[in-house]
């Protein structure tokens, strides 16, 4: 829905018309530029139901019946779809959200995008609170309440009496929600987890050192497990701030040009960058089970890295065991994982080059251009591209949480590897 507002800029005092795209949201911060002086005017909107919808703009809202002259300037802003700043009608690309996406994606891709997007929003609003409650009881060790929530809220039909069974149920519930929130298009988690599971299952049956390593490391991973859950919960709580990153996964190579002159007028960079950076660091701490499984399958020992190393890792820094691997720079950890066939997408989800750009001390959201820039990279990236990187980190962290689950299951006192 597009609402029209007559606004008076608190800088130049000129009155202009703002065509503002409004959607159901728990809370969205946006900005709009004054079409006369270019001053960025901040605003926010909230309300899932139409009758509870609230829009606040940090300038004077003139009466809706204020007369318009042919010279009155118009600005079009939609915080949910990249929009065309100077559009004053519904016809140009970027002037009307539905038509913008239809023109850029085509009918089929548009329908699929809308389906995945709304499923993700529904999962974050309805399913995740149940998962969060279940996982909190799991972390507390409250068996009674864990079982009640699993059965009453999530439809579990049996009672997980063993510790490793509760771990499995908790992570399966988490995975069910995060897969929907990530979306199916362009997702790589199932392939990464599937390949890891096959390697881990084979290694745990054939090599006792592999099982012992996962038990030992799983016991010391309780704090990491809590941190990963806490961060995933932060991602989901602020899902509406980065969910439009899904749009980039529906672009064909020729589609991106349609968005070059459009801007996603969101004003949440600091919040979302914090999610990105913390999620990136935690994901890299969860890479070791992948490497341990690969080492065990290939060389019979999780600590044996053999002679095949990524070219980019300096010879003196090439690890001799998992403890040395833990101390590597994140870029080198990612390189080791990405050299394994089937796990190459990790390097795309955890793009260290992009991480350096986004995480640079001078990185900021230039509200005049709508791009994320830094001294290191003055051209930067569009805000939509930035959000796609955030989605990638969420997918990586939620995927690696399922990988970390293997060590937590193995460290359960009642776990039997012969089961």
């Amino acid at each position: 829905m597009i609402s029209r507002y007559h606004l008076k800029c608190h800088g130049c005092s000129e009155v202009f018309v703002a065509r503002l795209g409004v959607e159901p949201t728990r809370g969205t911060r946006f900005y709009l530029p004054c079409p006369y002086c270019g001053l960025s005017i901040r605003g926010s909107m909230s309300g899932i139901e139409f009758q509870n919808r609230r829009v606040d703009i940090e300038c004077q809202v003139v009466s809706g019946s204020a007369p318009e002259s042919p010279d009155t300037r118009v600005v079009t802003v939609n915080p949910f779809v990249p929009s065309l700043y100077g559009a004053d009608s519904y016809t140009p690309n970027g002037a009307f959200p539905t038509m913008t996406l239809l023109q850029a994606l085509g009918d089929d891709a548009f329908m699929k995008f809308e389906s995945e997007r709304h499923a993700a929003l529904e999962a974050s609003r309805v399913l995740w609170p149940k998962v969060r409650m279940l996982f909190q009881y799991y972390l507390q060790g409250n068996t009674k309440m864990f079982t009640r929530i699993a059965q009453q809220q999530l439809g579990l039909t049996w009672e997980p009496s063993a510790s490793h069974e509760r771990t499995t149920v908790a992570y399966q519930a988490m995975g069910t929600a995060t897969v929907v929130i990530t979306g199916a298009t362009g997702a790589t988690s199932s392939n990464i987890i599937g390949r890891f599971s096959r390697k881990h299952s084979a290694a745990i049956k054939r090599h006792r050192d592999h099982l012992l390593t996962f038990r030992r490391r799983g016991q010391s991973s309780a704090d990491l497990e809590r941190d990963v859950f806490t961060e995933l919960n932060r991602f989901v709580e602020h899902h509406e701030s980065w969910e439009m990153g899904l749009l980039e996964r529906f672009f064909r190579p020729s589609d991106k040009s349609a968005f070059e002159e459009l801007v996603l007028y969101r004003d949440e960079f600091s919040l979302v960058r914090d999610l990105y950076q913390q999620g990136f660091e935690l994901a890299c701490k969860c890479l070791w089970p992948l490497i341990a499984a690969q080492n065990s399958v290939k060389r019979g020992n999780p600590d044996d890295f053999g002679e095949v190393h990524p070219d980019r890792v300096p010879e003196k820094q090439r690890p001799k065991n998992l403890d040395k691997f833990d101390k590597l720079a994140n870029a080198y950890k990612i390189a080791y994982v990405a050299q394994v066939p089937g796990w190459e997408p990790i390097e795309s989800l955890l793009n260290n080059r992009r991480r350096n750009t986004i995480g640079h001390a001078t990185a900021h959201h230039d509200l005049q251009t709508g791009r994320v820039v830094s001294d290191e990279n003055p051209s930067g990236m569009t805000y939509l591209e930035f959000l796609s990187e955030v989605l990638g980190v969420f997918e990586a962290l939620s995927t690696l949480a399922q990988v970390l689950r293997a060590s937590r299951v193995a460290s359960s006192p009642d776990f039997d590897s012969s089961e």
Side-chain angles (χ1 to χ4, degrees):
M1 181 180 76
I2 289 186
S3 299
R4 291 174 65 89
Y5 294 86
H6 290 78
L7 305 177
K8 184 176 183 179
C9 175
H10 53 277
C12 66
S13 297
E14 294 286 351
V15 175
F16 62 94
V17 174
R19 299 173 65 247
L20 179 62
V22 180
E23 290 191 15
T25 175
R26 289 181 295 192
T28 294
R29 299 204 305 266
F30 63 91
Y31 71 98
L32 52 88
C34 170
Y36 289 95
C37 69
L39 182 70
S40 296
I41 301 170
R42 288 181 161 87
S44 63
M45 64 179 70
S46 61
I48 300 297
E49 302 298 332
F50 179 79
Q51 61 269 25
N52 298 325
R53 198 101 12 110
R54 179 188 176 107
V55 176
D56 294 307
I57 304 173
E58 295 180 4
C59 69
Q60 181 181 347
V61 179
V62 182
S63 170
S65 59
E68 294 182 27
S69 72
D71 296 328
T72 301
R73 295 187 183 177
V74 177
V75 61
T76 298
V77 169
N78 192 310
F80 306 96
V81 178
S83 46
L84 182 64
Y85 161 75
D88 58 2
S89 70
Y90 293 136
T91 51
N93 185 35
F96 192 64
T98 302
M99 290 306 300
T100 298
L101 296 182
L102 273 171
Q103 291 169 2
L105 303 180
D107 291 352
D108 292 343
F110 170 74
M111 294 301 294
K112 191 172 182 182
F113 166 73
E114 284 291 292
S115 175
E116 290 192 22
R117 183 190 177 207
H118 288 297
L121 289 168
E122 184 75 5
S124 68
R125 293 167 181 167
V126 179
L127 177 58
W128 182 260
K130 300 175 183 178
V131 172
R132 177 176 57 215
M133 191 185 311
L134 180 79
F135 215 91
Q136 286 174 327
Y137 283 131
Y138 160 71
L139 293 173
Q140 292 172 11
N142 190 331
T143 302
K144 179 180 178 181
M145 288 306 302
F146 178 90
T147 301
R148 177 186 295 181
I149 297 302
Q151 293 178 337
Q152 294 182 359
Q153 298 291 328
L154 296 170
L156 192 70
T157 58
W158 55 283
E159 182 174 342
S161 57
S163 174
H164 72 273
E165 291 175 338
R166 290 189 292 276
T167 300
T168 298
V169 169
Y171 276 88
Q172 285 177 339
M174 176 196 287
T176 297
T178 56
V179 163
V180 177
I181 294 170
T182 299
T185 299
T188 59
S189 58
S190 62
N191 189 43
I192 293 171
I193 294 170
R195 285 176 176 266
F196 166 74
S197 297
R198 291 190 291 273
K199 291 176 185 287
H200 176 62
S201 297
I204 212 168
K205 293 175 181 177
R206 299 173 189 169
H207 308 292
R208 183 162 177 76
D209 284 343
H210 183 84
L211 174 59
L212 293 176
T213 295
F214 270 70
R215 280 182 171 166
R216 173 175 57 83
R217 284 181 158 250
Q219 290 170 350
S220 63
S221 294
D223 289 342
L224 178 59
E225 175 183 64
R226 187 178 297 273
D227 290 345
V228 168
F229 165 71
T230 299
E231 191 61 23
L232 284 173
N233 184 55
R234 288 184 65 223
F235 265 94
V236 179
E237 285 184 337
H238 298 291
H239 176 228
E240 291 181 8
S241 297
W242 53 268
E243 55 96 9
M244 279 304 298
L246 179 66
L247 181 58
E248 278 244 330
R249 297 191 172 190
F250 288 82
F251 287 163
R252 299 179 298 269
S254 59
D255 292 336
K256 290 192 176 183
S257 61
F259 287 89
E260 282 300 314
E261 61 180 0
L262 307 184
V263 174
L264 189 66
Y265 289 96
R266 303 297 288 251
D267 186 31
E268 298 154 327
F269 175 70
S270 297
L271 166 67
V272 180
R273 183 173 74 163
D274 183 57
L275 290 173
Y276 174 89
Q277 290 179 305
Q278 185 67 11
F280 194 104
E281 296 299 318
L282 282 173
C284 290
K285 290 181 179 180
C286 300
L287 292 171
W288 72 263
L290 295 174
I291 294 300
Q294 177 70 4
N295 288 350
S296 293
V297 166
K298 290 295 183 181
R299 290 172 288 276
N301 190 311
D303 284 309
D304 189 348
F305 281 76
E307 302 300 324
V308 181
H309 300 270
D311 293 338
R312 78 184 74 168
V313 180
E315 187 172 349
K316 291 183 178 180
Q317 296 188 44
R318 292 172 179 175
K320 301 296 183 182
N321 52 53
L322 288 174
D323 290 339
K324 296 290 185 182
F325 176 82
D326 290 337
K327 297 175 182 178
L328 286 177
N330 287 338
Y332 297 156
K333 290 181 185 178
I334 294 166
Y336 272 98
V337 173
Q339 73 176 356
V340 179
W343 292 345
E344 300 93 342
I346 285 290
E347 196 162 33
S348 177
L349 297 175
L350 299 174
N351 187 316
N352 198 68
R353 185 175 179 181
R354 287 293 184 103
R355 187 252 179 262
N356 291 339
T357 298
I358 296 167
H360 196 271
T362 62
H364 64 282
H365 184 197
D366 185 342
L367 301 185
Q368 297 300 313
T369 64
R371 300 180 73 86
V372 175
V373 299
S374 69
D375 290 351
E376 186 181 74
N377 188 355
S379 62
M381 65 185 81
T382 67
Y383 199 79
L384 189 63
E385 288 174 318
F386 164 59
L387 295 186
S388 73
E389 295 291 327
V390 178
L391 172 59
V393 168
F394 174 77
E395 181 181 356
L397 185 61
S398 58
T399 298
L400 292 167
Q402 298 301 317
V403 171
L404 184 66
R405 155 188 162 184
S407 67
R408 296 297 292 155
V409 168
S411 67
S412 298
D414 49 19
F415 175 69
D416 182 355
S417 62
S418 63
E419 292 181 357

